[in-house]
Amino acid sequence: MAFIDTVDEQAATGELEEVYDKLLRSRGKVANIMKVHSLNPRAMQAHMDLYLAVMFGRSGLKRAERELIAVVVSATNGCVYYVQHHAEALNSYWKDSERVQRLTRDFRHAGLSGRETALLTGIEPSFVLAFVAGALSFLSPCVLPLLPSFLAYLTGLNAEQLMSVGGPDTGVEDKTSY
């Protein structure tokens, strides 16, 4: 199981404390997915800004449709955390937890409208759907923790070396040419 260092609300200071306070005022809690970014408050704020823009910003998709897409994408990716998160939000619109559970297992058996089915099967492909699905998949807690390891694998460097490429004590030469 992966372990990610985080800073709890009580221990937060400075910029992190400000971001946590903003989350507590607007959302009532600091979700674990946000705490993953606690060592980098600017990344946490950027994550929240993107999430709010995608899920609440102006769009041709209704809020419930965005949650519907998020549930199916998360279920397809096997991301239990986001399935639960978005299923709870979708149920606040549908008010039918049995139907939401059917959706998480197989959307074709969840009694969807023609439009909802089209959004999920790609009959009416759209840039918005592709963007939302891609953003949710990329930003999910199932993917983000893998990025440092992937970068380390590609470059052959460890995390400390990646953070200080070209620095005096890494032994890594900066071969960037301009």
Side-chain angles (χ1 to χ4, degrees):
M1 176 170 208
F3 179 80
I4 299 172
D5 289 328
T6 61
V7 178
D8 285 329
E9 296 93 331
Q10 298 79 14
T13 60
E15 188 179 359
L16 178 60
E17 184 177 25
E18 291 173 25
V19 176
Y20 274 172
D21 286 346
K22 190 185 302 184
L23 285 169
L24 287 167
R25 283 192 310 274
S26 66
R27 313 283 293 172
K29 67 178 185 175
V30 178
N32 288 335
I33 184 60
M34 298 311 291
K35 288 182 184 178
V36 167
H37 299 296
S38 63
L39 299 180
N40 186 342
R42 284 186 287 164
M44 182 186 296
Q45 186 62 54
H47 177 150
M48 195 65 192
D49 291 344
L50 177 61
Y51 176 80
L52 292 173
V54 170
M55 297 305 288
F56 296 91
R58 187 177 175 158
S59 171
L61 295 173
K62 298 172 186 165
R63 269 290 291 130
E65 291 172 337
R66 296 177 206 199
E67 295 296 349
L68 170 78
I69 293 167
V71 168
V72 173
V73 168
S74 299
T76 300
N77 289 336
C79 187
V80 176
Y81 178 90
Y82 264 142
V83 169
Q84 180 182 352
H85 173 82
H86 291 290
E88 287 175 9
L90 180 59
N91 196 46
S92 71
Y93 294 97
W94 282 5
K95 302 192 184 332
D96 185 346
S97 56
E98 167 80 21
R99 184 175 175 216
V100 172
Q101 284 305 309
R102 286 195 314 268
L103 177 74
T104 65
R105 291 189 297 272
D106 184 349
F107 73 87
R108 290 173 290 269
H109 301 290
L112 301 177
S113 70
R115 176 181 164 90
E116 291 167 332
T117 302
L119 286 170
L120 297 173
T121 58
I123 293 171
E124 298 174 356
S126 70
F127 174 76
V128 173
L129 173 62
F131 177 79
V132 169
L136 290 173
S137 295
F138 183 75
L139 294 174
S140 80
C142 299
V143 174
L144 279 178
L146 299 175
L147 293 179
S149 299
F150 179 68
L151 288 174
Y153 173 76
L154 286 178
T155 63
L157 303 174
N158 66 33
E160 283 183 19
Q161 290 170 321
L162 282 172
M163 296 299 290
S164 60
V165 167
D169 61 349
T170 63
V172 179
E173 182 182 341
D174 185 355
K175 295 183 180 179
T176 309
S177 61
Y178 297 95

